[in-house]
Amino acid sequence: MKKFTSVKDIPSIEKALATAFEVKNNKFGFQHLGKNKTMVLVFFNSSLRTRLSTQKAAMNMGMNTMVMNVNEDSWQLESEMGVVMDGKNAEHLREAIPVIGKYCDVIGVRAFAKFENREDDYSEKILSQFVEFADVPVVSMEGATRHPLQSYADLVTIEEHKKVEKPKVVLTWAPHPRALPQAVANSFVEWMRETDYELVVTHPKGYELAPEFMGDAKVEYDQKKAFEGADFIYAKNWASYNDYGQILSKDLNWTVDEAKMALTNDAKFMHCLPVRRNMVVTDGVIDSPNSIVVDEAYNREITAQAVLKMILEDK
Amino acid sequence: MKKFTSVKDIPSIEKALATAFEVKNNKFGFQHLGKNKTMVLVFFNSSLRTRLSTQKAAMNMGMNTMVMNVNEDSWQLESEMGVVMDGKNAEHLREAIPVIGKYCDVIGVRAFAKFENREDDYSEKILSQFVEFADVPVVSMEGATRHPLQSYADLVTIEEHKKVEKPKVVLTWAPHPRALPQAVANSFVEWMRETDYELVVTHPKGYELAPEFMGDAKVEYDQKKAFEGADFIYAKNWASYNDYGQILSKDLNWTVDEAKMALTNDAKFMHCLPVRRNMVVTDGVIDSPNSIVVDEAYNREITAQAVLKMILEDK
Amino acid sequence: MKKFTSVKDIPSIEKALATAFEVKNNKFGFQHLGKNKTMVLVFFNSSLRTRLSTQKAAMNMGMNTMVMNVNEDSWQLESEMGVVMDGKNAEHLREAIPVIGKYCDVIGVRAFAKFENREDDYSEKILSQFVEFADVPVVSMEGATRHPLQSYADLVTIEEHKKVEKPKVVLTWAPHPRALPQAVANSFVEWMRETDYELVVTHPKGYELAPEFMGDAKVEYDQKKAFEGADFIYAKNWASYNDYGQILSKDLNWTVDEAKMALTNDAKFMHCLPVRRNMVVTDGVIDSPNSIVVDEAYNREITAQAVLKMILEDK
């Protein structure tokens, strides 16, 4: 595996699952692969789970790690080509990326959507420059449009908790005080579509995800109807794609609560975290035994390690 | 040892001292205990000594370390239960803590008193949630009311420098431009009361420490009288407990200077650092041969390592 | 080697070059020297290359590393002697430095010129206190007046790319929107003067470097004339030394462009990075095959490692 930026980069869902479970059963068994290898984690945005789980995964593999917060540690970085750099950005990605690549064997990078311009975000302006200019494999720690490490962990978590071969998985929009990227939702849909699960996406009108991610995935605008018979409820807020970056609703009728969970087939509750309690989900649901958000977060370490194992085996 | 948040968590003063000296004589001799183990250090507040000494201690034990500054690296964290999270805090401690615990074997956390509300601070609102919600041992890197890693190092330092079996140890309040927590003072009193040293606390009226920490410890409002015959002078500023968080005095007559040190039994000068020179203590005293502040700081590494050794041996 | 703050600290140019090439050919061959040794990297200023390359170098040597950003992680540090510390600075370097030294075996420190006062900067007020008060070797990761890790990497890069025994090396001033320290330029001149290369410095009038760095190095105020026959063009902006810290010119006629490069002997283009594209150098030049800025940056890891090897061998 030469990079990990979307589900298209993994050899197959089967290989991804097998590697994850292999790693989970033997976390410290592959350190020969990482010996004297270094991963640099570059953060353009805040991070808790991704920061810790990816570092931990690299250390499990016997790798060294270096973490760089672009905003606090380093220079402001320019991403536009051809500009006269007379402003606040002191360094261009065109130099920064190959230089970072020289000091390590794998780069992880987190660069969220900026919501200034849909074309910039959906072309993955920053992440794609990392892939282009680094001489080493690049792992997305969440780009502008996808969060594949999250989706991979979501997949493993569903596999571990499913009671039927082909569970009904519902991705539901939920209200939030801020405008959030579509990355987690896009990526979740993209990964689920590679499985034979039954996927339903539910959200208010106006919150349709980008067609290239949705494909023929089923949309159900009636949240309660969507929840009927569900085995997994995956809650997530996102801002509008069509009315790009806008908050069209903060309607608390979309909050995942106990009454709605009662409509499901004793569904497990999932969320990528961080989650706004009593906006996205009630305390009652997230604190219930059916909430598997912490298991899901723990699988972030496992799948990040599986990604690194597949990358290092390929080197 | 399952956690380290106060003197009550150590098996005994004797065991604590023995472990510290064992570690000091053989810093790299216990790495089998830490192999493939990870400590996460979570900072809600600034840190120099604690940051470096605790990381170093973990590395001495053969552990991996990850450091997270909550304010710069991560999401703002909510600590209130039951709230609708529609404000600036993006994640609740109720998720963040168990998730962090999943990625490591020991959590260190620093969360100072906020001085907004005495009840919140004295219930250790943040630290106690870490102890409750993490599935792994928690080490206080300074809470709202105690700084046990500091007090443990203070104890070891006194043991190393004392010339008599039961030295006279004086904790003296000293002026400072800012309102500082009582944590170091509370904790120092708490630890000293477990020894058979002679403890005297001196401060201006109004600066009485909380009764649960002071117990029957002796107070002497006349600083010069307190200093007479002292073997150790431990200087520290703190804001008022009764008039909670207020600065009642910046009286430079309470600064520890050469004239006052001359009243002692050739006392050693101690301070946890950082120290405001010529406010808390004069240059002359802190730069004198009797100043042992750097030795004291070095023992932070030793006692943090001793804490980790006791925790890892118990796992 | 007891410290590394200028070219005067290395045993000789020959030994420095031999050690760099030895390390480059065997990056992981000296880990016995660094086992159970720790380097602390203290940053008063931003850093990308220095941060990553120095950490990587220490890890190559088998060392542990700890990174501290003074402004975000720690307390504001006081550097003046004798002051009453009643302001914003919570800790004095007089305590912070020996304490940091207690937790590690080598300290790296970055402390740029502040441009408040030339005497303060040119006395290396912060770096010199580190050298004085730490009990362990200090490595400059760029001081107020020198950047020796950069210059050492520049030297190695020139050695690797030179086609003649004694190449003509031209240091050229170039425009920049901000006032930058003279450190890189001073240091480059200082190191080049230790070689038998032909060195020419070119800049607008008023940008003369400090006499103690320039010595008898040749100045040519006509940039095009300076470029004639050059084998290496080293571009860098700096603010005025005589009119201390002032920007006297942003004249884009000093930008290094294709036409000027055509005057040279097929010269390689060098810059320490970060570089302002289309201010200091045109896209055409920095993206050309003759640009060796990434090789130069990579040598930062190599020479930092060579410095650590020489220090650890001496311990």
Side-chain angles (χ1 to χ4, degrees):
Chain A
M1 208 162 67
K2 302 299 183 196
K3 65 180 167 73
F4 181 74
T5 62
S6 89
V7 73
K8 297 175 194 77
D9 294 318
I10 59 169
S12 69
I13 288 285
E14 293 68 32
K15 168 75 176 166
L17 283 170
T19 305
F21 292 122
E22 185 188 13
V23 157
K24 196 161 186 171
N25 289 319
N26 190 17
K27 290 209 284 188
F28 308 116
F30 306 100
Q31 298 187 346
H32 56 285
L33 291 171
K35 188 175 157 62
N36 288 331
K37 298 267 190 310
T38 298
M39 181 172 190
V40 171
L41 292 79
V42 180
F43 291 97
F44 287 81
N45 307 96
S46 295
S47 175
L48 184 149
R49 266 155 297 283
T50 299
R51 179 182 298 274
L52 296 179
S53 65
T54 312
Q55 262 186 278
K56 181 62 159 57
M59 297 188 306
N60 288 351
M61 290 301 292
M63 301 179 83
N64 291 317
T65 60
M66 298 193 281
V67 177
M68 194 173 73
N69 292 337
V70 172
N71 296 324
E72 289 98 31
D73 296 346
S74 172
W75 313 103
Q76 294 297 303
L77 296 174
E78 176 62 51
S79 60
E80 292 293 329
M81 292 296 179
V83 294
V84 177
M85 290 175 60
D86 56 2
K88 70 177 175 54
N89 294 329
E91 178 148 28
H92 201 287
L93 287 174
R94 190 68 192 82
E95 278 76 56
I97 296 168
V99 166
I100 294 169
K102 285 286 184 186
Y103 302 141
C104 68
D105 302 278
V106 181
I107 298 176
V109 60
R110 163 165 283 203
F112 289 174
K114 291 183 179 170
F115 282 149
E116 290 167 3
N117 171 320
R118 192 169 87 177
E119 284 62 41
D120 279 0
D121 288 344
Y122 271 70
S123 67
E124 292 286 0
K125 194 162 203 169
I126 292 179
L127 180 61
S128 63
Q129 289 193 51
F130 271 85
V131 171
E132 183 178 355
F133 298 136
D135 252 355
V136 297
V138 170
V139 173
S140 166
M141 301 195 301
E142 189 170 341
T145 64
R146 291 177 178 93
H147 191 356
L149 283 173
Q150 181 64 51
S151 309
Y152 186 1
D154 296 336
L155 171 72
V156 168
T157 308
I158 291 172
E159 280 295 302
E160 290 179 325
H161 285 274
K162 75 181 189 185
K163 295 176 199 155
V164 294
E165 185 61 24
K166 300 181 184 180
K168 179 177 176 184
V169 176
V170 178
L171 169 63
T172 181
W173 182 94
H176 194 283
R178 300 268 187 280
L180 298 189
Q182 295 99 27
V184 169
N186 285 342
S187 205
F188 185 75
V189 169
E190 189 174 53
W191 282 68
M192 291 299 107
R193 287 176 59 206
E194 295 287 318
T195 70
D196 52 10
Y197 306 159
E198 181 191 349
L199 174 66
V200 177
V201 182
T202 182
H203 53 70
K205 298 235 174 188
Y207 277 103
E208 289 74 18
L209 293 169
E212 64 263 38
F213 288 99
M214 279 300 285
D216 57 0
K218 183 177 171 186
V219 181
E220 170 54 67
Y221 291 101
D222 181 336
Q223 190 189 31
K224 288 180 185 164
K225 203 163 162 195
F227 274 45
E228 283 169 14
D231 297 294
F232 293 90
I233 299 296
Y234 194 101
K236 184 72 188 83
N237 173 271
W238 60 89
S240 175
Y241 171 77
N242 287 316
D243 204 358
Y244 193 63
Q246 297 306 302
I247 297 177
L248 307 180
S249 166
K250 296 186 185 181
D251 183 358
L252 294 180
N253 286 314
W254 279 83
T255 301
V256 178
D257 62 15
E258 292 88 329
K260 288 176 201 162
M261 290 300 286
L263 302 172
T264 69
N265 181 29
D266 193 31
K268 301 297 185 190
F269 176 79
M270 299 179 72
H271 190 283
C272 61
L273 307 179
V275 67
R276 298 281 184 148
R277 283 172 169 252
N278 303 312
M279 292 281 298
V280 169
V281 59
T282 61
D283 286 340
V285 170
I286 197 169
D287 290 334
S288 76
N290 275 22
S291 167
I292 56 174
V293 295
V294 175
D295 283 2
E296 188 184 352
Y298 174 55
N299 279 330
R300 294 289 312 275
E301 173 184 335
I302 302 306
T303 53
Q305 186 175 350
V307 165
L308 290 173
K309 180 170 183 285
M310 289 188 276
I311 284 174
L312 292 172
E313 281 174 338
D314 245 25
K315 287 198 100 167
Chain B
M1 208 160 68
K2 302 301 184 197
K3 64 180 166 75
F4 181 74
T5 63
S6 87
V7 74
K8 296 175 194 77
D9 294 318
I10 59 169
S12 69
I13 287 284
E14 292 69 31
K15 169 74 177 167
L17 283 170
T19 306
F21 293 123
E22 186 188 12
V23 157
K24 196 161 187 172
N25 288 319
N26 190 16
K27 289 209 283 188
F28 308 116
F30 306 100
Q31 298 187 346
H32 56 285
L33 292 171
K35 187 174 158 62
N36 288 330
K37 299 265 191 309
T38 299
M39 180 171 191
V40 172
L41 292 81
V42 180
F43 290 96
F44 288 81
N45 308 96
S46 295
S47 176
L48 184 149
R49 266 154 298 282
T50 298
R51 178 182 299 274
L52 296 179
S53 65
T54 312
Q55 263 186 276
K56 180 63 159 56
M59 298 188 305
N60 288 351
M61 290 301 291
M63 302 180 82
N64 291 316
T65 60
M66 297 193 282
V67 177
M68 195 172 73
N69 292 337
V70 173
N71 296 326
E72 289 98 32
D73 296 344
S74 174
W75 314 103
Q76 294 295 304
L77 296 174
E78 177 62 52
S79 60
E80 292 293 330
M81 292 297 180
V83 294
V84 177
M85 290 175 59
D86 56 2
K88 70 178 175 53
N89 293 330
E91 178 149 28
H92 201 288
L93 286 174
R94 190 67 192 81
E95 277 76 57
I97 296 168
V99 166
I100 294 169
K102 284 286 184 186
Y103 301 142
C104 69
D105 302 278
V106 180
I107 299 176
V109 60
R110 162 165 285 203
F112 288 174
K114 291 183 178 170
F115 283 149
E116 290 166 3
N117 170 322
R118 192 169 86 177
E119 284 61 41
D120 280 1
D121 288 343
Y122 272 69
S123 66
E124 293 285 0
K125 194 163 205 167
I126 292 179
L127 180 61
S128 63
Q129 290 193 52
F130 271 83
V131 171
E132 183 179 354
F133 298 137
D135 252 357
V136 297
V138 171
V139 173
S140 166
M141 301 195 300
E142 187 168 344
T145 63
R146 291 178 177 92
H147 193 357
L149 283 173
Q150 180 64 51
S151 309
Y152 186 1
D154 296 336
L155 171 72
V156 169
T157 308
I158 291 172
E159 280 296 302
E160 291 179 325
H161 285 274
K162 75 181 189 187
K163 295 177 199 153
V164 294
E165 186 61 24
K166 301 182 183 180
K168 178 177 176 183
V169 176
V170 178
L171 169 64
T172 181
W173 181 93
H176 195 283
R178 300 269 188 280
L180 298 190
Q182 293 99 27
V184 169
N186 286 342
S187 205
F188 185 75
V189 169
E190 190 173 54
W191 283 68
M192 290 299 108
R193 285 177 58 207
E194 296 288 318
T195 70
D196 53 8
Y197 305 159
E198 180 191 349
L199 173 67
V200 177
V201 182
T202 182
H203 54 70
K205 299 237 174 188
Y207 276 103
E208 289 74 18
L209 293 168
E212 63 263 39
F213 287 99
M214 279 300 285
D216 58 359
K218 182 176 170 187
V219 181
E220 169 55 67
Y221 291 102
D222 180 336
Q223 190 189 31
K224 288 181 185 164
K225 203 161 160 195
F227 273 45
E228 284 169 14
D231 297 295
F232 293 90
I233 298 297
Y234 194 100
K236 184 73 187 83
N237 173 270
W238 60 89
S240 175
Y241 171 76
N242 287 316
D243 203 357
Y244 193 63
Q246 298 306 302
I247 297 177
L248 308 180
S249 165
K250 297 188 186 180
D251 183 358
L252 294 179
N253 286 315
W254 278 82
T255 301
V256 178
D257 63 14
E258 292 88 329
K260 289 176 199 160
M261 290 300 286
L263 302 171
T264 69
N265 180 29
D266 194 30
K268 301 296 185 190
F269 175 78
M270 298 178 73
H271 190 283
C272 62
L273 307 181
V275 66
R276 298 281 183 148
R277 283 173 169 251
N278 303 313
M279 291 281 299
V280 169
V281 57
T282 60
D283 285 340
V285 170
I286 198 168
D287 290 333
S288 77
N290 274 24
S291 168
I292 55 175
V293 295
V294 175
D295 283 3
E296 189 183 352
Y298 174 55
N299 279 330
R300 294 290 310 276
E301 174 184 334
I302 301 307
T303 53
Q305 186 175 351
V307 165
L308 290 173
K309 181 171 183 285
M310 289 188 277
I311 284 173
L312 292 172
E313 281 174 339
D314 244 25
K315 286 200 102 166
Chain C
M1 206 162 68
K2 301 301 183 196
K3 64 180 168 73
F4 180 74
T5 62
S6 88
V7 74
K8 297 175 194 76
D9 294 317
I10 58 169
S12 68
I13 287 284
E14 292 69 32
K15 167 77 175 164
L17 283 170
T19 305
F21 292 123
E22 184 188 12
V23 157
K24 196 161 186 172
N25 288 319
N26 190 17
K27 289 210 283 188
F28 307 116
F30 305 100
Q31 298 187 346
H32 56 286
L33 292 171
K35 188 176 159 60
N36 288 330
K37 298 268 190 308
T38 298
M39 180 171 190
V40 172
L41 292 79
V42 180
F43 290 97
F44 288 81
N45 308 95
S46 295
S47 175
L48 184 150
R49 266 154 298 281
T50 298
R51 178 181 300 274
L52 296 179
S53 65
T54 312
Q55 263 186 279
K56 181 62 159 57
M59 298 188 305
N60 288 351
M61 290 301 293
M63 301 180 81
N64 292 316
T65 60
M66 298 192 283
V67 177
M68 195 172 74
N69 292 337
V70 172
N71 295 325
E72 289 98 31
D73 297 345
S74 173
W75 314 102
Q76 294 296 305
L77 296 174
E78 176 63 51
S79 60
E80 292 293 329
M81 293 296 181
V83 293
V84 177
M85 289 175 60
D86 56 2
K88 70 178 175 53
N89 294 329
E91 178 148 28
H92 201 287
L93 286 174
R94 190 66 192 82
E95 278 76 56
I97 296 168
V99 166
I100 295 169
K102 284 286 184 187
Y103 302 142
C104 69
D105 302 277
V106 181
I107 298 176
V109 60
R110 163 166 283 203
F112 287 174
K114 292 183 177 168
F115 282 148
E116 290 166 3
N117 170 321
R118 191 169 88 178
E119 283 62 40
D120 279 1
D121 289 342
Y122 272 69
S123 67
E124 292 286 358
K125 194 163 204 168
I126 292 180
L127 180 62
S128 64
Q129 289 193 51
F130 271 83
V131 171
E132 182 178 355
F133 298 136
D135 252 356
V136 297
V138 171
V139 173
S140 167
M141 300 195 300
E142 187 170 343
T145 63
R146 290 179 178 92
H147 192 355
L149 283 173
Q150 181 64 51
S151 309
Y152 186 0
D154 297 336
L155 171 72
V156 168
T157 308
I158 291 173
E159 281 295 302
E160 290 179 325
H161 285 274
K162 75 181 189 186
K163 295 175 199 154
V164 294
E165 185 61 25
K166 300 182 183 180
K168 178 177 176 182
V169 176
V170 177
L171 168 64
T172 181
W173 182 93
H176 195 284
R178 301 267 187 281
L180 298 189
Q182 294 100 27
V184 169
N186 286 341
S187 205
F188 185 76
V189 169
E190 190 174 54
W191 282 68
M192 290 300 108
R193 287 176 57 206
E194 295 288 318
T195 69
D196 53 10
Y197 305 160
E198 181 191 348
L199 173 66
V200 176
V201 183
T202 182
H203 54 70
K205 299 236 173 188
Y207 277 102
E208 289 74 18
L209 293 168
E212 63 263 38
F213 288 98
M214 280 300 285
D216 57 1
K218 182 177 170 186
V219 182
E220 169 54 67
Y221 292 101
D222 181 336
Q223 190 189 29
K224 288 181 186 165
K225 203 162 161 194
F227 274 44
E228 284 169 16
D231 297 294
F232 294 90
I233 298 297
Y234 194 100
K236 183 74 188 84
N237 172 270
W238 61 88
S240 175
Y241 171 77
N242 287 315
D243 203 356
Y244 194 63
Q246 297 306 303
I247 297 178
L248 307 181
S249 165
K250 296 187 186 180
D251 183 358
L252 294 179
N253 286 315
W254 279 82
T255 301
V256 178
D257 62 16
E258 292 88 329
K260 289 176 199 161
M261 289 300 285
L263 302 172
T264 69
N265 180 30
D266 194 30
K268 302 296 185 188
F269 175 79
M270 300 179 71
H271 190 282
C272 61
L273 307 178
V275 67
R276 299 281 183 148
R277 282 172 170 250
N278 303 312
M279 292 281 299
V280 169
V281 58
T282 61
D283 286 339
V285 170
I286 196 168
D287 291 333
S288 76
N290 274 24
S291 168
I292 56 174
V293 295
V294 174
D295 284 2
E296 188 184 352
Y298 174 55
N299 279 329
R300 293 291 309 277
E301 173 185 335
I302 302 307
T303 52
Q305 186 175 351
V307 164
L308 290 173
K309 181 171 183 284
M310 289 188 277
I311 285 173
L312 292 171
E313 281 174 339
D314 243 26
K315 286 200 100 167

